Amino acid sequence: MEVRPAVDVHSAALTITCHSDSGMQNATRTRSGAAIDELGYRPNLTARAMRAHRAGL
């Protein structure tokens, strides 16, 4: 399940929540973090490597 529709925030806000400590209102960070925990989100490391062009393909 995708987290973004469940929280109704921009995908950039979720990226900031996962990777940064600043740049977002506390309410949005709290809501996003709660949804990430509740839905059991785990980043797909293969997809991340492919996006960064480090997949070795």
Side-chain angles (χ1 to χ4, degrees), residues 2-42:
E2 284 194 39
V3 175
R4 192 197 59 74
V7 184
D8 193 29
V9 297
H10 194 276
S11 59
L14 287 173
T15 300
I16 292 169
T17 299
C18 292
H19 302 288
S20 177
D21 291 331
S22 63
M24 185 186 315
Q25 294 179 357
N26 285 335
T28 303
R29 179 181 305 283
T30 302
R31 202 171 73 220
S32 299
I36 288 169
D37 292 341
E38 181 181 323
L39 296 172
Y41 171 78
R42 298 293 173 252

Side-chain angles (χ1 to χ4, degrees), residues 34-56:
I36 288 169
D37 292 341
E38 181 181 323
L39 296 172
Y41 171 78
R42 298 293 173 252
N44 184 325
L45 299 179
T46 302
R48 182 183 295 175
M50 289 177 70
R51 185 166 176 123
H53 304 288
R54 293 181 298 201

